Amino acid sequence: MAGLAATLGSGAMTDAIANIVDADLLFVTGSNTTEAHPIIGLEMKRAVRKFGARLILLDPREIELANFATLHLRQRPGTDVAVLNAIAHVIIRDNLTNLNFIEERTEGFDAFAASVADWTPERAEAISGVPAQDIVDAAYLYAHARNAMIFWAMGITQHTTGTDNVKACSNLALLAGHIGRPATGLNPLRGQNNVQGACDMGGLPNVFPGYQAVADEAIRRKFAAGWGVPFETFGAKPGLTVTEIIHGALKGDIRAIFIMGENPMLSDPNLTHVVEGLDAVEFLVVQDLFPNETAQMADVVLPAAGFAEKLGTFTNTERRVQLIRPAIEPPGAARPDWAITLDLAQRLGAPWQYDGPADIFAEMATVTPQYAGITYERLERGGIQWPCPTAEHPGTPVLHVGKFTRGKGLFCALEYRPPAELPDEQFPFLLTTGRILFHWHGGTMSRRSPGLEEIAPEAEAEIHPDDAARLGVAEGDPLRVTSRRGCVVAAARLTRRSSPGMVFMTFHYAESATNLLTIDAVDPTAKIPEYKVCAVQIEKLGIRNYELGIGRDTEPSNPLIPNP
Amino acid sequence: MIQPDRVVQTTCPYCGVGCQIDLHVKDGLLYRVNGRFDSPVNRGNLCVKGRFGFDFIHAPDRLTAPLLRHDRGEPFAARHATTWDAALDHVAGRLRAIRDAHGPDSIAFLLSAKCTNEENYLVQKLARAVVGTHNVDHCARL
Ligand code: SF4
């Protein structure tokens, strides 16, 4: 979420889910909301159907929300910045800007206006394939709306230009003044249930909890005092990101990796690289619920308790901190992750004492300003949206009211950069990846649910019927999808949801791990890998599904690791 | 209808929406989930994952004991279960040895978007304050 942090000073969703129905315009890009965030998708549909909101969809695929859209801009994957720049161009050209807002609350407008002066809708059409008139219409719809909300998810951040995409959305909100009021704003939909919380808690190499920079000496002093450790304990240099950790393991700089509750074997881009990296370290510890692909490589596997077996808090995508409560006992010797960590810290000589999660939360709140006023006692009465600075503060549904976290909202001039890898003669198709409704992320949870597995049991590659006809492929045929990095097999699904020349696959299935194909070129600022776009070739295989071991008759198996 | 032993209010573990749910428990088994009508997030609604996807918690392949392996080539099934004391002593010993030999920045920690705030807070504190490294990240940028 580096894009928003730069333009507004804070990287979280600026508005609340409950306000969606009050918006009169929803602008959704790079989010298949009805599948990835179904209940937010439901609110969007309710806003359109029941309350007459209009919906602009900027998405290459004919997703479900397209049925609710006033306008569907189907850009070529990776050309978002071109389209968004052209929308900004029209807003400025036709005097649709909110001049008061720009004057009072933003900076950098003049330079930005100059930078989009030559981004005509026609130029964007040539790059993106979106008709110029649709771009003009989108500009008018967005700027004329009373309250407009912009939403995006990984479809927009998983590009080498991900940070730019976010900044381009931010430019639109600042131009039209659609931020800082209820039912407006910039709303990144976070994927997994507690991504927001993991980031808030300092699960990033450059910040302590509460996004307090490790490079800042005053902050390091504060944490040294708060945690009772010598100031010299903390380096001033940020640590390594996931991708850098894997590279470091390959170079021999990283000797041990401790992994809690993640399966990077499935969720990382360019999987072959990850396997080699994890294999190269001297010592790998995995703490998880299941013997997943990563756990199988570990030297020590520690059994963890699941969500229904422990007390704690999750923070949802709208910054709402909510309790989870134990309903059942963990199986066998499994223990909550916090208890394991505490035990390990004590063995490493730390004098830590905590009575339980409430106690840990209370300490965290003393060093994390956004959470300072939140206690378990208050959470018992319902979730609270941060920032919540004091015990009396009711929480903050809408961010940036009256003032941005960084002071003034910053316009950013953006150059269009094409994706790192585009189709060519040898790899003529463009692969993009995403989620489906019935499964979740790497599938470690949902694929163990017999009901969900029955509905969506096998990996599919969606291709356009025209391409299928050309390749002689019928529905259900096994396809081999090959990129410069690897190849996987999946069943063909013929659909007009994707445009000709595109292949769409999910990353829920271990037996055809799509991330074997994807590229680990990363966005230079946010370091999010470019999952969404890479070049592939497709061929039909002459054998049946079951002979390949995909489909409902077989157990999930990883192509890289022999079955246990 | 089955009468639950307990109904526990909690948060759906699947996606970032954070729907509020009631878990119905009978004889130590989770058998039913419904959406909370008093939640401003989901107003009683749930998607298919939240309503029916909870049975993974009772999956037969849940890990139930700490596992150690002796050498790299060993198949997963051959690993032997051990006690928490033995496992954590081993982990602490190895981490300490690696830190002493190669410095704190030779160790990295991956946190989880599926674990709680308290757990993530504690592991990053372990990394930064006890081991002494900022090599802390999670897979949410993925
Ligand atoms: S019920 Fe569905 S939408 Fe709600 S949190 Fe769970 S997975 Fe997300």
Side-chain angles (χ1 to χ4, degrees):
Chain A
M1 295 298 127
L4 276 192
T7 62
L8 311 180
S10 162
M13 181 162 162
T14 67
D15 210 319
I17 295 168
N19 290 340
I20 294 175
V21 290
D22 295 329
D24 53 332
L25 185 102
L26 305 172
F27 187 115
V28 180
T29 174
S31 159
N32 188 357
T33 322
T34 56
E35 302 221 2
H37 299 88
I39 296 303
I40 291 180
L42 198 68
E43 288 300 289
M44 291 175 176
K45 291 192 278 192
R46 206 160 68 98
V48 171
R49 269 198 306 226
K50 213 164 153 199
F51 297 93
R54 285 178 165 140
L55 172 69
I56 302 175
L57 184 64
L58 173 61
D59 197 297
R61 299 175 66 231
E62 190 82 32
I63 55 178
E64 189 194 344
L65 278 181
N67 301 326
F68 297 81
T70 303
L71 202 55
H72 183 188
L73 316 178
R74 295 185 74 171
Q75 86 282 29
R76 289 187 193 111
T79 62
D80 311 62
V81 168
V83 177
L84 295 166
N85 269 353
I87 294 177
H89 170 96
V90 176
I91 291 179
I92 296 170
R93 183 192 71 187
D94 295 0
N95 292 321
L96 309 173
T97 45
N98 184 336
L99 282 178
N100 281 343
F101 185 90
I102 293 173
E103 192 129 304
E104 278 167 31
R105 300 207 40 194
T106 69
E107 59 193 14
F109 174 72
D110 292 337
F112 172 69
S115 78
V116 293
D118 57 354
W119 270 104
T120 61
E122 290 70 26
R123 180 174 167 207
E125 172 173 345
I127 292 172
S128 68
V130 176
Q133 186 57 46
D134 286 357
I135 292 175
V136 174
D137 290 349
Y140 274 81
L141 278 172
Y142 181 73
H144 276 163
R146 232 171 325 115
N147 294 310
M149 295 177 90
I150 301 183
F151 295 88
W152 68 86
M154 291 203 263
I156 201 154
T157 50
Q158 282 177 358
H159 287 286
T160 45
T161 56
T163 304
D164 287 356
N165 291 351
V166 173
K167 288 179 179 167
C169 289
S170 167
N171 287 336
L172 294 187
L174 296 178
L175 278 180
H178 284 319
I179 187 156
R181 298 190 310 279
T184 64
L186 295 160
N187 299 287
L189 301 176
R190 311 305 300 265
Q192 298 199 53
N193 57 335
N194 201 32
V195 184
Q196 185 67 51
C199 294
D200 295 350
M201 292 303 109
L204 294 165
N206 58 336
V207 289
F208 285 107
Y211 307 97
Q212 304 178 77
V214 301
D216 184 332
E217 188 185 320
I219 297 291
R220 290 201 306 282
R221 289 208 184 279
K222 167 181 159 180
F223 275 88
W227 288 346
V229 294
F231 173 68
E232 300 71 43
T233 316
F234 308 128
K237 233 176 84 217
L240 305 179
T241 65
V242 177
T243 315
E244 289 164 349
I245 288 168
I246 298 297
H247 282 280
L250 283 170
K251 280 192 300 181
D253 297 342
I254 294 293
R255 306 277 178 149
I257 304 182
F258 184 100
I259 302 176
M260 170 173 78
E262 284 288 356
N263 188 8
M265 284 284 295
L266 217 67
S267 49
D268 260 48
N270 204 344
L271 200 44
T272 322
H273 204 59
V274 177
V275 179
E276 287 164 9
L278 293 182
D279 202 42
V281 292
E282 265 170 51
F283 190 56
L284 177 66
V285 186
V286 171
Q287 188 168 303
D288 206 304
L289 269 60
F290 298 108
N292 62 33
E293 292 75 13
T294 310
Q296 310 226 350
M297 302 189 67
D299 297 286
V300 180
V301 182
L302 303 173
F307 82 102
E309 299 158 352
K310 63 190 180 187
L311 183 64
T313 57
F314 289 152
T315 304
N316 80 351
T317 187
E318 52 162 6
R319 298 168 279 107
R320 188 184 299 273
V321 185
Q322 309 187 106
L323 283 175
I324 64 161
R325 298 179 177 88
I328 52 176
E329 291 293 316
R335 297 168 71 192
D337 294 285
W338 66 265
I340 303 172
T341 310
L342 173 58
D343 206 335
L344 179 61
Q346 287 169 342
R347 276 163 218 262
L348 285 167
W352 293 5
Q353 292 297 341
Y354 298 103
D355 286 339
D359 209 13
I360 301 170
F361 190 96
E363 176 190 296
M364 179 276 293
T366 62
V367 290
T368 312
Q370 295 89 333
Y371 286 69
I374 307 179
T375 60
Y376 267 44
E377 205 193 337
R378 292 186 70 186
L379 293 176
E380 286 290 347
R381 297 192 293 271
I384 299 174
Q385 284 178 278
W386 68 250
C388 175
T390 63
E392 295 76 39
H393 193 283
T396 311
V398 181
L399 291 183
H400 311 303
V401 179
K403 185 169 174 289
F404 288 106
T405 310
R406 77 178 285 279
K408 298 228 170 195
L410 179 66
F411 281 104
C412 291
L414 301 167
E415 249 335 292
Y416 166 70
R417 288 179 286 134
E421 185 178 273
L422 281 172
D424 51 25
E425 228 155 76
Q426 202 191 348
F427 297 94
F429 286 89
L430 205 124
L431 172 77
T432 92
T433 66
R435 301 178 194 287
I436 58 168
L437 174 63
F438 297 105
H439 285 306
W440 185 242
H441 211 67
T444 13
M445 287 161 29
S446 61
R447 295 205 69 204
R448 283 185 173 77
S449 173
L452 298 179
E453 187 61 8
E454 184 68 22
I455 304 172
E458 68 181 7
E460 290 171 345
E462 292 187 7
I463 59 170
H464 194 274
D466 296 353
D467 290 332
R470 212 160 33 78
L471 296 165
V473 169
E475 177 81 17
D477 279 351
L479 292 182
R480 175 159 45 213
V481 183
T482 311
S483 80
R484 287 191 172 78
R485 289 155 295 277
C487 90
V488 300
V489 174
R493 222 181 106 85
L494 277 42
T495 158
R496 293 180 190 277
R497 283 167 40 131
S498 301
S499 319
M502 264 176 70
V503 191
F504 172 81
M505 293 182 75
T506 63
F507 56 97
H508 307 297
Y509 299 91
E511 64 268 33
S512 68
T514 316
N515 294 332
L516 284 169
L517 305 174
T518 46
I519 179 167
D520 68 354
V522 293
D523 176 284
T525 315
K527 310 224 161 119
I528 297 176
E530 183 152 61
Y531 272 155
K532 288 289 161 184
V533 184
C534 81
V536 294
Q537 49 168 274
I538 303 178
E539 60 197 310
K540 183 181 160 182
L541 289 173
I543 24 179
R544 305 286 301 268
N545 277 2
Y546 62 84
E547 292 172 289
L548 287 161
I550 61 173
R552 63 179 71 210
D553 302 331
T554 50
E555 287 295 306
S557 64
N558 192 293
L560 297 163
I561 300 175
N563 261 335
Chain B
M1 220 175 101
I2 307 176
Q3 284 305 316
D5 297 338
R6 256 193 320 286
V7 177
V8 178
Q9 182 187 348
T10 190
T11 305
C12 174
Y14 273 104
C15 87
V17 180
C19 295
Q20 291 298 294
I21 56 178
D22 277 332
L23 301 177
H24 296 246
V25 181
K26 174 88 178 169
D27 298 333
L29 284 180
L30 224 63
Y31 70 94
R32 181 180 158 199
V33 169
N34 60 258
R36 297 276 307 190
F37 288 93
D38 60 0
S39 158
V41 174
N42 53 312
R43 301 177 305 105
N45 297 312
L46 288 180
C47 79
V48 59
K49 287 185 291 274
R51 197 175 292 281
F52 301 113
F54 53 84
D55 37 1
F56 74 87
I57 200 91
H58 295 306
D61 61 342
R62 279 286 301 270
L63 294 164
T64 55
L67 302 174
L68 293 182
R69 78 169 167 191
H70 292 302
D71 63 339
R72 281 272 153 133
E74 192 179 88
F76 193 72
R79 292 186 203 191
H80 71 271
T82 180
T83 62
W84 277 106
D85 275 340
L88 290 176
D89 279 342
H90 179 64
V91 174
R94 293 283 285 145
L95 290 183
R96 193 180 281 122
I98 289 171
R99 183 184 55 182
D100 291 349
H102 306 284
D105 287 332
S106 63
I107 302 177
F109 292 80
L110 292 185
L111 275 53
S112 174
K114 291 203 283 286
C115 291
T116 64
N117 289 330
E118 293 75 5
E119 290 161 346
N120 281 300
Y121 172 78
L122 224 52
V123 176
Q124 65 86 36
K125 184 179 171 187
L126 174 73
R128 295 189 156 112
V130 182
V131 174
T133 178
H134 293 303
N135 291 339
V136 174
D137 203 359
H138 63 112
C139 294
R141 45 176 101 240
L142 305 175

